[in-house]
Amino acid sequence: MAQNVSAVGTKITIVAVPTYPYGITISSFADDADPLDATELTVADFTMGLNGDLVLNRRPTPISVGVNVIANTDEDKALEMLLDSNRVAKNKVSVSDAITMTIQYPDGMTKVLTNGAIISGAVINSIASSGKFKTKHYTFVFEGKVI
């Protein structure tokens, strides 16, 4: 039997306290960039000792997740507000949201990332030479993952 690897129907819910305590649901994913991208983790460094012994040093590593959404959608506007709320600037009150991300895949699998922060994104819409708004990319980092 063939394995179904379709991701159509994936949804992400982001709860950010205090900005979005009831959460926002993301489903307007971009078609010109990977909608959800988790970077590869390096959980250990290694060296070889003088006599050829392998020496491992495990280290804590944050989980980095990128989300690409269609520009100017309600989801994009909510993520832009979340990013701007956490941005520090002169004469601006900023917050430090505690973020939880729940990813619901169409096969019923769910992944929950905890104790996170939004770390990058664009707070304005960029325009491509084709005349359309560019896809908006937002990056989050998390300390934990619930299995």
Side-chain angles (χ1 to χ4, degrees), residues 19 80-97 123:
T19 304
E80 185 179 306
M81 180 183 279
L82 177 62
L83 178 67
D84 199 46
S85 295
N86 284 268
R87 184 178 63 85
V88 175
K90 185 176 180 177
N91 298 321
K92 176 188 177 298
V93 177
S94 72
V95 299
S96 292
D97 279 300
V123 293

Side-chain angles (χ1 to χ4, degrees), residues 60-124:
T61 306
I63 300 166
S64 179
V65 177
V67 177
N68 288 297
V69 296
I70 299 169
N72 225 31
T73 59
D74 288 342
E75 290 101 325
D76 172 43
K77 292 173 185 174
L79 289 170
E80 185 179 306
M81 180 183 279
L82 177 62
L83 178 67
D84 199 46
S85 295
N86 284 268
R87 184 178 63 85
V88 175
K90 185 176 180 177
N91 298 321
K92 176 188 177 298
V93 177
S94 72
V95 299
S96 292
D97 279 300
I99 297 176
T100 300
M101 178 183 284
T102 303
I103 306 165
Q104 297 171 312
Y105 297 97
D107 65 357
M109 181 174 56
T110 299
K111 298 292 181 184
V112 179
L113 304 173
T114 60
N115 202 16
I118 188 166
I119 60 166
S120 68
V123 293
I124 63 168

Side-chain angles (χ1 to χ4, degrees), residues 46-55:
F46 62 92
T47 59
M48 295 295 283
L50 177 65
N51 293 321
D53 300 310
L54 179 64
V55 179

Side-chain angles (χ1 to χ4, degrees), residues 13-35:
T13 302
I14 296 171
V15 174
V17 177
T19 304
Y20 291 113
Y22 299 108
I24 54 175
T25 299
I26 310 297
S27 62
S28 294
F29 296 111
D31 65 345
D32 59 351
D34 292 338

